[in-house]
């Protein structure tokens, strides 16, 4: 009969779970703080009352106290309000900031002859014309610098701060020192408040900045920065930044440019030099965790240090203390924030328990670390970083390790002292039989290889097989357990995660200590560091090659159930999926130390839920029987979701940023796709591009890759400019490309479409892109919407000649004065209008005269820069607007 171990007690884990539940409850159910305090006192008193006679009931009541404490803490730890003075000055006018540098930056290419850098400044004073205000606030500044030629950009060394090409007078001269932490500066620039894309499910950029102490954004030129005497800040932080910058410079000195950017990220968490394409490959392959400094990186480094110290016969207590000290020093130098500090805290708790107790309980260590982090920062619970870190450790310590302890670990231990038959008496009968079988195999091999090698060979082979099997099991378990969070936060199902991590994790175990040795030796002599550089570089090439093959373009065409196995994107999991995943995780943890059948059945359930999340579509949040028209907030651009009464989803344009901005931010991926996934939409039937301008088609490549539409509708016979590569992408993906022109009428999904422009005899591409704009009406029974794209006067005149009528009008060209004429409004007779426009855009859209004309025509007008995403439901008789009201 198999002996079942009694599960160890883990009160801190359950306390952390209860505390987390309280934090969630506090966010969703506000109550006066006094209520929470009174309830906590009652529960604590009840705990002491029940403790002598009913210990189990006392434990339950004490967990209730933790729940109440969490709700109380998150409600009293709110964010301080921003200073009203700085908000009043953030209107784009030129102001002078006086303050200190809080965060250094690294120069990045912003064009053929310009460099851009981002730094954080804490202000002391802000001046505007003749007025001055003492304002203390965090400002994230984008600083631009012009250089003589493109080669000068490439020659710029990876050192923090901008080195201005201008002298003190701004007319040219010797370069000034870089902007470093604590330096007092005076900057002439422009401020503007941060703004979220106001769509359901959008990333809370304002909250992210607020959590990092940033209230406002700004921009300035390098020549408008003046250094002031004195130092302001922490000397400890100053030396941390100097060490961090020195290590970055050393990495770039030791490694070629192709490897240095990856080394920066993996060793120090510095992502300034990473390309967006590189990030995407690591995300696709499920190995993004190695690209940023996380708990795994620190754990590998700590394990290498502890092992090396033990090899030199250092006392276990001294080795543990030294490992913890070095780990905290590494976390301090890296300075990437909570993830690495959480790992250092958990390591300290675990090694401390290892020294003090015979029975170590990793789940208790997880609970203690989680409580420490959440008490210090209650809002960390809702961040993807915190959730992924602790869930990964929970899966390993709470599910994987207990199962391995009762399956493979006894056999791995049975390989010790294999020649000694007397040791068989100290192991379980099955393990003793296993040892006997290995000795028999070794005896046969001894005839050919000798006694020593004959016995060592099967033991080594078995040890490797057990290790590989455990790695496969843990990697697969991690992918299944993390499926919910990957789908919820990143809308990805990392089907390539297990094979990728089987190669990447062992290589990372080589890379981290080798890179640390290379950097350390590099300060002594480049020649001494050469061998460590070679080893770490070889490991890095192995990681990059694996990721490129599994996460790059090589497997994009390979599919399962019609979905790419290398880039499987999923919509927001349903509530049922979320509850099922949480239940499967808890059941797997509870069953891990019980009978094997129960344990593996629960693990199988966890894998089943992961497959469900990855391959079974969520139910889209749609209104049946009506036509929906939603203008998505994409800033200064257009993107409109049209859903037919039969549930067919069409997307007209996908936003985008102009090329001159030289930005890696992809509106199609991070805004439009995010909105669609949040709606539970995981595929589109049709995508349309109204005309070839970046603010309409820039996000379309990502949308087509993520949602695999069946058709692409365009207005140009021969795609040119930025439209051409999009059409090529569509054709390669098997998407049918159709050209729509004036006079085309057809029914699709219960909606009648009538194309009004461009003209059938018009030679597209020969005029301004706006004159080639696709303009059409979509009609469901007695309700119609007119979608104009960026139509200007010539196109609108053609539309007026068709005498269309529509209850809903998508205003042309973001409210430009060149469109939405009084003649159009008197012809169409719209009741509602929507303008897709960016806040504080440089074009002055929407123009005042356009707004006046709409008001005079009695049209109720909505704007995405003010209301965010706006939906209209056309039921055949009337139009019902619905504003998302997202802050």
């Amino acid at each position: 009969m198999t002996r079942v171990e009694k599960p160890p007690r883990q009160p801190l884990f359950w306390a952390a779970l209860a505390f987390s539940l309280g934090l969630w409850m506090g966010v969703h159910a506000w109550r006066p703080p006094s209520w929470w305090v009174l309830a906590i006192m009652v529960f604590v008193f009840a705990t002491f009352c029940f403790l002598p006679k009913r210990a189990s009931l006392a434990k339950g009541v004490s967990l209730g106290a933790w729940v109440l404490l969490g709700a109380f803490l998150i409600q009293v730890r709110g964010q301080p309000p921003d200073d009203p003075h700085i908000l009043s000055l953030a209107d784009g006018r030129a102001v002078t900031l006086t303050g200190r540098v809080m965060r250094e930056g690294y120069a990045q290419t912003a064009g053929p002859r310009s460099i851009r850098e981002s730094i954080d400044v804490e202000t002391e004073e802000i001046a505007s014309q003749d007025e001055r205000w003492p304002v203390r606030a965090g400002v994230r500044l984008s600083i631009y610098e012009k250089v003589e030629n493109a080669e000068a950009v490439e020659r710029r060394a990876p050192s923090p701060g901008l080195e201005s090409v201008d002298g003190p007078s701004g007319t040219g001269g010797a370069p000034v020192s870089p902007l470093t932490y604590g330096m007092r500066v005076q900057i002439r620039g422009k401020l503007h408040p941060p703004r979220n894309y106001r769509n359901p499910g959008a990333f809370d950029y304002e909250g992210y900045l607020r959590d990092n102490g940033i209230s406002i954004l700004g921009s300035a030129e390098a020549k408008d920065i003046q250094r002031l005497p004195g130092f302001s800040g922490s000397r400890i932080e100053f030396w941390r930044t100097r060490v961090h910058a020195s290590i970055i410079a050393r990495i770039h000195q030791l490694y070629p440019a192709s490897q240095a950017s990856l080394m920066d990220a993996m060793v120090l968490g510095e992502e300034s030099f990473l390309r967006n394409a590189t990030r995407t490959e690591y995300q696709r392959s499920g190995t993004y965790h190695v690209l940023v400094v996380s708990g795994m990186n620190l754990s590998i480094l700590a394990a290498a240090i502890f092992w090396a110290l033990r090899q030199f016969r250092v006392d276990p207590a001294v080795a543990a203390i030294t490992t913890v000290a070095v780990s905290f020093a590494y976390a301090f130098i890296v300075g990437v924030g909570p993830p690495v500090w959480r790992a250092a805290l958990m390591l300290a708790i675990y090694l401390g328990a290892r020294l003090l107790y015979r029975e170590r309980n990793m789940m208790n260590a997880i609970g203690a670390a989680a409580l420490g982090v959440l008490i210090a920062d209650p809002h960390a619970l809702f961040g993807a970083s915190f959730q992924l870190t602790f869930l990964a450790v929970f899966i390993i310590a709470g599910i994987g390790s207990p199962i391995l302890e009762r399956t493979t670990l006894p056999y791995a231990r049975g390989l010790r002292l294999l020649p000694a038959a007397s040791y068989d008496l100290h192991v379980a009968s099955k393990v003793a039989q296993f040892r006997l079988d290995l000795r028999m195999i070794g005896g046969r091999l001894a005839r050919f290889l000798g006694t020593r090698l004959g016995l060592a060979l099967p033991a080594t082979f078995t040890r490797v097989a057990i290790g590989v099997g455990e790695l496969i099991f843990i990697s697969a378990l991690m992918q299944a357990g993390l499926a919910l969070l990957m789908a919820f936060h990143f809308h990805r199902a990392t089907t390539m995660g297990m094979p990728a991590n089987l190669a990447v994790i062992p290589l990372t175990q080589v890379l981290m200590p080798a890179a640390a040795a290379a950097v350390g030796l590099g300060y002594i002599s480049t020649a001494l560091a050469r061998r460590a550089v070679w080893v770490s570089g070889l490991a890095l090439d192995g990681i990059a090659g694996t990721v490129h093959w599994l996460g790059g373009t090589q497997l994009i065409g390979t599919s399962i159930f019609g979905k790419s196995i290398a880039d499987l994107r999923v919509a927001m999991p349903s509530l049922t999926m979320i509850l099922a995943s949480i239940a499967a995780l808890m059941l797997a943890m509870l069953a891990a130390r019980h009978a094997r059948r129960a344990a593996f059945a629960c693990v199988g359930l966890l894998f089943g839920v992961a497959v469900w999340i990855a391959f079974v579509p969520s139910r889209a949040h749609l209104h049946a029987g009506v036509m929906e028209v939603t203008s998505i907030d994409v800033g200064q651009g257009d993107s409109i979701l049209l859903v037919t009464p039969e549930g067919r989803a069409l997307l007209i344009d996908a936003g985008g940023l102009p090329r001159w901005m030289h930005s890696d931010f992809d509106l199609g991926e991070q805004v439009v796709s995010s909105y669609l996934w949040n709606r539970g939409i995981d595929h589109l039937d049709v995508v349309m591009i109204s005309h070839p301008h970046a603010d309409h088609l820039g996000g379309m490549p990502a949308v087509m890759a993520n949602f695999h539409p069946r058709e692409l509708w365009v207005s140009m016979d021969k795609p040119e400019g930025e439209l051409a590569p999009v059409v090529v992408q569509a054709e390669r993906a098997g998407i049918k490309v159709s050209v729509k022109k004036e006079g085309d009428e057809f029914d699709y999904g219960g909606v009648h479409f009538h194309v009004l422009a461009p003209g059938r005899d018009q030679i597209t591409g020969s005029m301004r892109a706006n004159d080639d704009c696709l303009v059409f009406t979509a009609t469901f029974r007695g309700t119609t919407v007119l979608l104009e794209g960026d139509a200007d006067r010539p196109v609108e005149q053609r539309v007026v000649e068709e005498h269309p009528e529509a209850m809903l009008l998508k205003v042309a060209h973001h409210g430009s004065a060149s469109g939405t004429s009084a003649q159009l409004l008197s012809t169409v007779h719209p009741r509602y209008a929507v303008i897709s426009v960016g806040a504080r855009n440089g074009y002055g859209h929407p123009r005042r005269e356009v707004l006046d004309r709409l008001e005079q025509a009695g049209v109720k007008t909505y704007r995405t820069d003010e209301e965010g995403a706006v939906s209209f439901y056309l039921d055949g008789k009337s139009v019902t607007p619905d504003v998302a009201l997202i802050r």
Side-chain angles (χ1 to χ4, degrees):
M1 181 177 179
T2 304
R3 183 174 69 89
V4 178
E5 296 181 5
K6 182 180 179 180
R9 297 195 308 167
Q10 42 204 29
L12 291 178
F13 171 76
W14 296 112
L17 206 61
F19 188 76
S20 301
L21 178 61
L23 294 176
W24 180 87
M25 188 172 71
V27 168
H28 294 87
W30 187 91
R31 293 293 184 274
S34 58
W35 289 24
W36 298 118
V37 173
L38 180 61
I40 292 170
M41 293 173 62
V42 170
F43 271 70
V44 171
F45 178 75
T47 299
F48 282 104
C49 290
F50 289 126
L51 189 59
K53 296 183 179 180
R54 297 187 178 181
S56 58
L57 183 58
K59 293 176 184 177
V61 175
S62 67
L63 291 178
W66 280 107
V67 172
L68 296 169
L69 179 62
F72 166 76
L73 194 61
I74 199 166
Q75 291 188 357
V76 299
R77 294 277 297 275
Q79 295 287 344
D82 292 324
D83 191 305
H85 284 305
I86 196 169
L87 295 177
S88 66
L89 293 168
D91 57 1
R93 56 178 153 165
V95 296
T96 301
L97 309 176
T98 301
R100 68 181 181 92
V101 178
M102 293 194 302
R103 180 187 62 86
E104 305 171 1
Y106 290 88
Q108 299 293 305
T109 302
R113 295 189 178 183
S114 64
I115 294 173
R116 179 176 60 195
E117 179 192 5
S118 174
I119 66 169
D120 293 346
V121 174
E122 184 180 60
T123 63
E124 302 170 2
E125 179 185 82
I126 300 181
S128 175
Q129 296 179 347
D130 297 329
E131 298 180 281
R132 294 178 180 273
W133 294 274
V135 176
R136 185 171 294 276
V139 180
R140 178 154 294 177
L141 283 170
S142 293
I143 303 174
Y144 299 87
E145 179 184 7
K146 297 292 183 181
V147 295
E148 295 178 358
N149 49 53
E151 289 74 17
V153 176
E154 301 299 327
R155 291 197 303 268
R156 181 60 58 90
S159 59
L162 275 170
E163 295 183 5
S164 175
V165 296
D166 294 317
S169 64
T171 59
V176 299
S177 300
L179 301 175
T180 58
Y181 171 83
M183 180 182 292
R184 297 186 68 250
V185 291
Q186 190 173 78
I187 302 172
R188 183 73 173 171
K190 297 179 179 180
L191 302 179
H192 61 271
R195 182 184 181 273
N196 292 335
Y197 287 96
R198 294 171 184 172
N199 306 307
F203 173 63
D204 185 8
Y205 182 55
E206 295 177 33
Y208 164 78
L209 291 175
R210 197 162 47 245
D211 291 340
N212 286 274
I214 303 300
S215 303
I216 219 76
L217 302 176
S219 60
E221 293 189 48
K223 63 184 179 61
D224 293 328
I225 299 176
Q226 179 183 357
R227 291 184 300 157
L228 300 176
F231 173 86
S232 178
S234 166
R235 286 290 177 183
I236 295 176
E237 177 64 13
F238 172 78
W239 286 111
R240 187 201 72 78
T241 59
R242 301 280 48 79
V243 172
H244 186 277
S246 175
I247 295 175
I248 291 289
R250 189 67 54 185
I251 288 173
H252 282 256
Q253 178 186 351
L254 294 172
Y255 295 91
S258 59
Q259 294 182 335
S261 60
L262 286 171
M263 281 293 180
D264 291 339
M266 294 183 185
V267 177
L268 281 183
E270 180 57 62
E271 298 185 50
S272 297
F273 305 100
L274 283 179
R275 296 183 300 112
N276 195 49
T278 302
R279 292 188 180 92
T280 301
E281 285 190 352
Y282 279 79
Q283 289 170 351
R284 283 174 177 167
S285 64
T287 58
Y288 190 70
H289 56 92
V290 306
L291 201 59
V292 294
V293 172
S294 62
M296 187 190 74
N297 304 63
L298 185 140
S299 300
I300 291 172
L301 195 59
I305 294 169
F306 188 80
W307 177 85
L309 292 174
R310 293 295 294 136
Q311 297 307 302
F312 286 99
R313 307 297 181 185
V314 176
D315 182 84
V318 176
I321 293 171
T322 303
T323 301
V324 170
V326 174
S327 299
F328 272 94
Y330 174 68
F332 174 72
I333 292 171
V334 167
V336 295
V340 71
W341 281 111
R342 287 195 289 266
L345 179 60
M346 291 176 63
L347 176 69
I349 293 173
Y350 177 72
L351 289 178
R354 191 177 192 275
L355 292 175
L356 298 175
Y357 306 104
R358 291 180 60 190
E359 189 74 30
R360 279 101 62 189
N361 186 351
M362 192 60 182
M363 296 300 292
N364 233 19
I366 295 173
L371 279 176
V373 171
L374 292 177
I375 290 173
D377 180 14
H379 293 277
L381 175 69
F382 305 100
S385 172
F386 177 91
Q387 294 174 13
L388 287 168
T389 299
F390 276 93
L391 183 58
V393 180
F394 165 82
I395 291 169
I396 295 173
I399 303 174
S401 293
I403 291 176
L404 294 179
E405 285 174 5
R406 300 176 54 248
T407 53
T408 61
L409 186 59
Y411 293 96
R413 290 174 176 170
L415 294 173
R416 300 173 182 173
L417 303 174
L418 189 59
S422 59
Y423 189 70
D424 295 355
L425 302 175
H426 301 280
V427 298
S429 58
K430 290 184 178 181
V431 179
Q433 182 62 48
F434 169 71
R435 288 168 56 84
L436 180 60
D437 293 340
L438 286 180
R439 284 199 294 269
M440 292 178 61
I441 295 172
R444 297 288 181 90
L445 292 175
R447 300 176 182 178
F448 310 98
L449 304 175
T451 303
R452 186 173 181 180
L453 185 59
L455 194 58
L457 191 62
T460 302
F461 178 80
T462 304
R463 188 175 287 108
V464 171
I466 290 174
V468 171
E470 289 179 344
L471 182 60
I472 292 174
F473 173 73
I474 291 295
S475 182
L477 188 65
M478 287 277 287
Q479 298 305 313
L482 294 175
L484 174 63
L485 289 184
M486 293 299 296
F488 186 88
H489 290 293
F490 308 111
H491 302 291
R492 290 186 183 274
T494 52
T495 52
M496 292 292 99
M498 188 183 76
N501 281 294
L502 288 178
V504 167
I505 291 178
L507 288 171
T508 305
Q509 293 174 341
V510 175
L511 182 143
M512 284 299 295
V519 172
L521 292 172
Y523 280 99
I524 302 172
S525 167
T526 303
L528 286 176
R530 192 168 299 156
R531 185 163 297 180
V533 168
W534 180 81
V535 172
S536 55
L538 194 63
L540 182 64
D541 288 341
I543 293 172
T546 301
V547 169
H548 181 66
W549 190 77
L550 293 175
T553 58
Q554 288 76 3
L555 295 179
I556 292 298
T558 309
S559 62
I560 297 177
F561 305 122
K563 294 186 176 184
S564 168
I565 64 172
D567 195 23
L568 184 59
R569 310 308 299 270
V570 295
M572 179 65 68
S574 65
L575 179 61
T576 305
M577 289 178 174
I578 293 172
L579 295 176
S581 182
I582 294 173
L585 283 166
M586 297 308 297
L587 285 173
M589 184 197 74
L590 295 173
R593 295 185 181 273
H594 290 77
R596 292 183 183 178
R597 290 184 179 179
F600 283 107
C602 290
V603 169
L605 176 63
L606 184 61
F607 276 93
V609 173
V611 171
W612 181 21
I613 292 173
F615 293 104
V616 178
S618 298
R619 184 176 180 179
H621 307 307
L622 304 176
H623 290 65
V626 301
M627 179 171 67
E628 174 192 342
V629 178
T630 295
S631 185
I632 304 170
D633 180 14
V634 291
Q636 185 67 14
D638 264 13
S639 185
I640 295 173
L641 172 67
L642 191 155
V643 183
T644 72
E646 296 178 3
R648 299 290 183 90
L650 299 85
L651 187 76
I652 302 99
D653 296 328
L657 298 175
R659 289 186 176 180
W660 56 262
M661 292 187 68
H662 300 283
S663 174
D664 273 345
F665 188 80
D666 191 334
L667 278 160
E669 170 73 25
Q670 296 167 315
V671 178
V672 179
S673 294
S674 178
Y675 170 76
L676 296 175
W677 282 319
N678 188 73
R679 291 279 304 271
I681 298 172
D682 66 350
H683 79 280
L684 292 169
D685 295 283
V686 177
V687 291
M688 308 180 213
I689 296 176
S690 63
H691 65 291
H693 272 169
D695 59 333
H696 292 251
L697 63 75
M700 194 58 77
V703 168
M704 291 195 302
N706 292 335
F707 296 92
H708 312 289
R710 297 183 180 92
E711 297 183 48
L712 168 63
W713 298 351
V714 296
S715 63
M716 300 184 68
D717 300 290
K718 296 181 179 180
E720 298 177 353
E722 295 181 59
L723 179 61
V726 179
V727 172
V728 170
Q729 176 190 350
E731 292 173 342
R732 288 177 177 173
I735 300 171
K736 180 182 177 182
V737 181
S738 300
V739 179
K740 304 296 181 183
K741 287 196 173 184
E742 178 189 16
D744 289 341
E745 292 192 59
F746 53 92
D747 293 327
Y748 189 86
V751 171
H752 182 75
F753 291 88
H754 181 196
V755 181
L756 305 174
R760 185 159 295 278
D761 57 348
Q762 182 175 324
I763 302 175
T764 54
S766 62
M767 299 181 292
R768 295 169 61 249
N770 287 354
D771 294 333
D772 294 330
C773 194
L774 181 64
V775 180
F776 63 94
T777 60
T779 302
F780 173 54
R781 296 177 184 168
T783 49
T784 300
V785 56
L786 172 60
L787 299 162
E788 289 197 280
D790 275 3
D792 285 336
R793 286 190 185 93
V795 179
E796 277 201 352
Q797 185 59 42
R798 182 187 294 271
V799 171
V800 168
E801 292 173 359
E802 296 289 334
H803 299 286
E805 291 192 8
M807 287 187 178
L808 174 62
L809 170 68
K810 184 270 167 187
V811 174
H813 203 175
H814 322 294
S816 167
S818 61
T820 320
S821 65
Q823 186 182 11
L824 177 81
L825 295 176
S826 63
T827 302
V828 176
H829 301 297
R831 298 181 188 176
Y832 300 95
V834 61
I835 305 175
S836 181
V837 63
R840 301 178 302 276
N841 65 85
Y843 307 98
H845 296 161
R847 299 301 294 266
R848 184 70 258 172
E849 53 266 40
V850 173
L851 296 175
D852 289 341
R853 287 199 290 266
L854 288 166
E855 184 179 4
Q856 292 168 6
V859 181
K860 173 66 175 176
T861 304
Y862 295 85
R863 299 166 46 171
T864 58
D865 62 333
E866 294 182 349
E867 284 90 9
V870 185
S871 297
F872 300 88
Y873 300 101
L874 291 73
D875 60 8
K877 297 180 180 180
S878 62
V879 178
T880 304
D882 182 24
V883 179
L885 294 176
I886 301 297
R887 183 173 181 272

